[in-house]
Amino acid sequence: MARYKRNEAREWGRANLRGVCNTISPCYSGDLKRLNEKGIRHDVRLEIEYGFAGTLLVSEVNVTVEEYGQFFAWADDEAKGRLLLIHHASFNNLEENIEAVRQAERHGGELVLLSYPPNMYAESPQDIYDYTKAFCDATSLAVMLFPVPLWGFDRVHESDLDARLLRRLIDDCPNIAAIKAEGGMPSFMHWVECHRLFAKEVVVSNPLEKDMIPLAQLAPIQFSATSNAEYFGPMIPRIFKLLQEGNFDEATRLYWQTNPARRANAATSAYMAQTNFLHRMMWKYQGWLNGFNGGPLRRPTMRLNDATMKTLRNALAQSGIKPTDSHDREFFVGRNPV
């Protein structure tokens, strides 16, 4: 149960959406027929140990609505209020996303990251408005809007979610509490625009540490959510804390120290321009290198090869972050197999 009422979501967000949030994908049994409770609980504990403020419980994998509810329930029970649990509204259509958000409402979810279905072909701002408002009206939870090129909305506006559309939605949906501003990537212009226009009303998140670390030295950033910060272990929460304290010299030193990992992450993500879909198995491997559970994913999933794994592993060592000594074959089993 959220700690606020629907009409208090924005006020709650400004007061409570702080820190770095990464992602956890579901863990599965070895035969892939059920979820792996031990693996999920292990990942939640490590999130807290590493200093993450919250995590996105990823639904953009092969998981049913019912299984996702179980995933949420175990995460909530393990976190016991110590970790912001973010619902991933990334199911097949509006109806299924509304069904799924009910699970989050019941099991400790306090923020929703709103995605758009892959079969949605928006041709006007009104199309995007209608879907977004219908979802927001259907939930009592705070919602984080997500302008990003993944949706194909650049056919409507180059920023993916036009500032005029965002203005309408903020005015009409009182539970919109945040914007994850990645529109028009790789430029960070949309983040600047959203910060300039909306930061006094809603929280404007910069989830990409490569941009967040320099920009936070020029403008206040209270929330960095959500991305694969688990690749850096506890480093990004550490740097974020330095930024909040105004220790820009040390934050900048660590930025350059970790740049080999940053370059490797960019190089192994080059597929994105063609697929418009995140490599969740690779993100799971990035976390496993730093102690997270890892383990198998159901099909359909992208695959990992040795070249990618070696690139990511070696770059961590070059960045002063010690990866696991475990052989890469063990990633596909996981640290807590069932």
Side-chain angles (χ1 to χ4, degrees):
M1 181 71 70
R3 293 170 289 176
Y4 55 87
K5 296 178 181 177
R6 186 173 182 274
N7 62 356
E8 301 168 340
R10 202 166 291 171
E11 180 182 1
W12 170 86
R14 288 195 299 270
N16 292 280
L17 296 180
R18 298 182 179 276
V20 178
C21 301
N22 68 337
T23 71
I24 296 176
S25 289
C27 299
Y28 297 93
S29 60
D31 61 8
L32 298 173
K33 291 183 178 179
R34 63 192 188 280
L35 297 184
N36 177 348
E37 180 179 359
K38 289 168 59 180
I40 290 166
R41 289 182 179 274
H42 169 91
D43 284 352
V44 171
R45 288 193 299 272
L46 198 57
E47 293 278 341
I48 297 165
E49 179 184 333
Y50 279 179
F52 287 100
T55 193
L56 177 72
L57 299 184
V58 172
S59 67
E60 203 173 61
V61 292
N62 188 343
V63 64
T64 67
V65 170
E66 293 74 19
E67 286 174 326
Y68 188 74
Q70 182 65 80
F71 179 27
F72 232 106
W74 286 334
D76 181 44
D77 182 66
E78 190 65 40
K80 293 181 170 58
R82 296 171 293 168
L83 193 69
L84 174 71
L85 299 180
I86 304 173
H87 169 64
H88 195 189
S90 191
F91 286 85
N92 289 313
N93 51 44
L94 177 62
E95 293 73 24
E96 197 170 77
N97 276 302
I98 292 171
E99 179 186 357
V101 80
R102 298 283 176 263
Q103 299 280 2
E105 290 168 350
R106 284 194 291 270
H107 298 302
E110 291 199 294
L111 182 65
V112 177
L113 179 65
L114 180 58
S115 299
Y116 295 88
N119 297 313
M120 178 178 175
Y121 191 89
E123 298 185 78
S124 69
Q126 190 65 42
D127 292 340
I128 303 168
Y129 175 92
D130 290 343
Y131 183 95
T132 306
K133 189 169 189 306
F135 180 85
C136 291
D137 287 350
T139 182
S140 60
L141 295 182
V143 175
M144 181 159 64
L145 300 182
F146 187 14
V148 71
L150 298 174
W151 321 135
F153 293 168
D154 57 336
R155 78 176 67 91
V156 178
H157 192 275
E158 283 292 327
S159 68
D160 300 300
L161 289 181
D162 178 18
R164 290 168 296 182
L165 173 59
L166 291 172
R167 177 73 272 160
R168 284 184 67 197
L169 288 165
I170 291 170
D171 288 344
D172 295 350
C173 303
N175 56 333
I176 290 176
I179 303 172
K180 181 184 179 185
E182 295 185 50
M185 285 174 58
S187 168
F188 53 71
M189 180 62 198
H190 198 44
W191 181 86
V192 172
E193 183 179 30
C194 288
H195 185 273
R196 177 170 56 84
L197 295 176
F198 308 122
K200 292 182 179 179
E201 300 170 80
V202 300
V203 174
V204 179
S205 168
N206 191 308
L208 305 175
E209 55 78 31
K210 70 179 182 66
D211 296 333
M212 181 273 291
I213 297 170
L215 286 171
Q217 301 184 38
L218 302 174
I221 297 177
Q222 70 177 62
F223 194 49
S224 183
T226 58
S227 195
N228 56 333
E230 59 268 24
Y231 176 43
F232 297 84
M235 182 62 78
I236 304 306
R238 176 184 171 188
I239 294 175
F240 188 87
K241 185 173 184 291
L242 291 168
L243 292 167
Q244 300 304 298
E245 294 169 348
N247 192 343
F248 297 156
D249 287 344
E250 180 64 7
T252 299
R253 185 188 72 80
L254 292 173
Y255 177 92
W256 292 121
Q257 175 187 308
T258 55
N259 211 44
R262 191 169 294 110
R263 289 200 308 269
N265 187 53
T268 55
S269 301
Y271 65 89
M272 281 283 293
Q274 287 75 42
T275 64
N276 289 306
F277 192 77
L278 295 173
H279 195 328
R280 295 295 180 185
M281 181 174 275
M282 187 178 82
W283 283 27
K284 204 168 181 66
Y285 175 76
Q286 289 176 320
W288 177 82
L289 286 172
N290 286 287
F292 287 89
N293 186 73
L297 287 178
R298 291 170 177 164
R299 296 187 64 161
T301 180
M302 297 183 187
R303 297 172 184 266
L304 278 175
N305 59 28
D306 279 353
T308 297
M309 291 188 285
K310 287 176 181 174
T311 295
L312 293 168
R313 180 187 284 271
N314 292 340
L316 279 185
Q318 292 165 15
S319 297
I321 300 171
K322 188 181 185 305
T324 180
D325 292 326
S326 299
H327 193 284
D328 282 341
R329 76 171 75 89
E330 297 180 33
F331 161 73
F332 298 94
V333 177
R335 287 195 161 82
N336 298 275
V338 296

